[in-house]
Amino acid sequence: MTAPRTTADGVLADRYGRVARDLRVSLTDKCNLRCTYCMPAEGLPWLAGPQLLTDAEIVRLVGVAVRRLGVTEVRFTGGEPLIRPGLPGIVSAVAALSPRPRISLTTNGIGLARLAPALRAAGLDRVNVSLDTLDGARFAALTRRDRHADVLAGLAGAAAAGLTPVKINAVLMRGVNDDEAPELLRFALAHGYELRFIEQMPLDAQHGWDRAAMVTADEILAALRTAFDLRPDSAERGAAPAETWLVDGGPARVGVIASVTRPFCGDCDRTRLTADGQVRNCLFATEESDLRGALRAGADDEDLARRWQAAMWGKRAGHGIDDPSFLQPARSMSAIGG
Ligand SMILES: C[S@@+](CC[C@H](N)C(=O)[O-])C[C@H]1O[C@@H](n2cnc3c(N)ncnc32)[C@H](O)[C@@H]1O
Ligand code: SF4
């Protein structure tokens, strides 16, 4: 396969035959929590204002991806995307694109109870809310902020506003919350939320990740099976990162995103745009392509699309976490956009 020369090719392909249709857009690197597996207590050196894409620049780049490059899913993330003041306006501008992409948001849920109706009205389709524990004191220790009640209210507000299916993302850590898998699932089932566990990845700013200490997908499933009957879900997985199981005969499901122990790089359909306008072809990429500079230098949409295609063409076959030569990317999860 040869690299695309023009955007007439119309897709974000790579040399391994994968095509990216799912765009993750980070709206800010800042956050109002300090999850221990993500960032240090003191926070990080945040991007300066002029480094951030403006709302109009974000909409322009998402438009290039949707109208010229075959992107059909747009997920806003961060940092914490709800702290970006222009979020409802960005969502409504993206919802007005043709063809209209599906639009979702990954959030820690703080402020969602208040914002959910406006986001729904703007065109947001769904949310993923991160919740790692049902215990308020544990939550405060894990996130270094006492905001558990806000997250629970955010989940309820999202469901009430119709941002469904509401999904919950949970990361388990050994000796911290790894005893909560069945309880988290019970909670999700009781409220009609879809729970997905994510294996902890080496993307923390403190470089404290330890393969040996990580709670694996197998351990999570074993813990769930002490309380539930899990059967493989026969629904087509496609490029979805979560492997799903039917709980107690279904229709409720639970998912596990085993990025480390069962990598799904061969089916990856992601492309990423950071809050400062860099394209990343993988969470674990060590190189980025600068669209902000090109855009501010006057590049037209055709030129931006070509640069985006070139960035994706160089995507590696896999993340290589298990290779001895693996290098953790310079940016951490919150700065990339998880
Ligand atoms: C980086 S956050 C950004 C959006 C929002 N602040 C949130 O927490 O949902 C996106 C997701 O990445 C997850 N995450 C952060 N650091 C991680 C790590 N080292 N390994 C696995 N997942 C991680 C979080 O739990 C969250 O579900
Ligand atoms: S995981 Fe999300 S909520 Fe937690 S510190 Fe990172 S960006 Fe913030």
Side-chain angles (χ1 to χ4, degrees):
M1 203 189 283
T2 52
R5 282 178 204 287
T6 74
T7 58
D9 295 314
V11 291
L12 291 169
D14 69 40
R15 68 190 74 211
Y16 299 100
R18 295 169 295 191
V19 174
R21 303 215 178 267
D22 183 342
L23 167 62
R24 303 285 158 116
V25 183
S26 173
L27 296 180
T28 173
D29 57 334
K30 290 195 184 126
C31 191
N32 42 12
L33 294 183
R34 294 286 183 275
C35 304
T36 51
Y37 53 76
C38 185
M39 61 169 88
E42 66 276 16
L44 293 167
W46 312 120
L47 292 166
Q51 292 177 285
L52 291 172
L53 293 178
T54 64
D55 294 359
E57 287 172 334
I58 289 170
V59 173
R60 166 120 184 256
L61 290 175
V62 173
V64 168
V66 168
R67 286 186 284 100
R68 292 179 177 255
L69 295 169
V71 162
T72 55
E73 300 264 354
V74 177
R75 162 95 52 114
F76 294 111
T77 180
E80 178 43 50
L82 290 182
I83 65 180
R84 181 149 182 148
L87 177 62
I90 293 172
V91 170
S92 71
V94 169
L97 291 171
S98 178
R100 184 201 191 281
R102 283 183 292 273
I103 309 171
S104 58
L105 179 78
T106 300
T107 170
N108 62 29
I110 296 173
L112 187 57
R114 184 174 53 83
L115 286 166
L119 290 172
R120 179 70 185 150
L124 186 67
D125 294 310
R126 290 203 311 100
V127 289
N128 280 36
V129 178
S130 301
L131 176 68
D132 303 320
T133 176
L134 295 173
D135 180 291
R138 274 189 185 180
F139 181 93
L142 207 155
T143 66
R144 304 187 181 101
R145 299 287 187 274
D146 190 7
R147 307 296 298 268
H148 194 236
D150 299 86
V151 179
L152 298 183
L155 277 164
L163 295 170
T164 51
V166 173
K167 296 191 181 176
I168 296 180
N169 291 349
V171 176
L172 295 183
M173 277 159 297
R174 205 172 295 286
V176 177
N177 61 343
D178 57 338
D179 56 345
E180 283 195 63
E183 240 176 286
L184 280 164
L185 181 51
R186 225 168 271 126
F187 169 81
L189 296 175
H191 292 85
Y193 307 141
E194 250 181 72
L195 176 64
R196 300 128 42 98
F197 292 94
I198 309 177
E199 279 183 345
Q200 194 182 348
M201 294 180 276
L203 285 172
D204 55 316
Q206 315 86 291
H207 291 232
W209 183 83
D210 174 3
R211 175 78 147 89
M214 185 194 84
V215 180
T216 65
D218 284 349
E219 290 176 278
I220 296 166
L221 290 167
L224 292 175
R225 286 196 161 108
T226 62
F228 299 95
D229 173 52
L230 300 187
R231 302 270 162 87
D233 182 4
S234 57
E236 186 59 47
R237 180 175 175 191
E243 251 182 287
T244 52
W245 280 264
L246 291 175
V247 182
D248 290 341
R253 291 181 299 175
V254 64
V256 180
I257 302 181
S259 324
V260 179
T261 60
R262 301 178 200 171
F264 36 85
C265 304
D267 292 319
C268 180
D269 71 344
R270 305 286 156 75
T271 182
R272 294 171 188 278
L273 183 65
T274 64
D276 56 346
Q278 312 298 303
V279 168
R280 296 180 62 91
N281 56 28
C282 173
L283 263 181
F284 295 93
T286 47
E287 283 171 19
E288 302 179 337
S289 302
D290 179 26
L291 289 190
R292 184 194 64 194
L295 185 153
R296 290 185 183 170
D300 62 13
D301 285 2
E302 170 73 16
D303 184 11
L304 293 168
R306 227 180 288 116
R307 287 169 189 265
W308 206 322
Q309 285 182 310
M312 293 309 293
W313 189 252
K315 181 169 170 131
R316 285 183 301 173
H319 57 45
I321 289 175
D322 285 329
D323 295 350
S325 60
F326 174 74
L327 267 186
Q328 186 170 334
R331 290 203 208 222
S332 58
M333 188 74 142
S334 60
I336 295 169

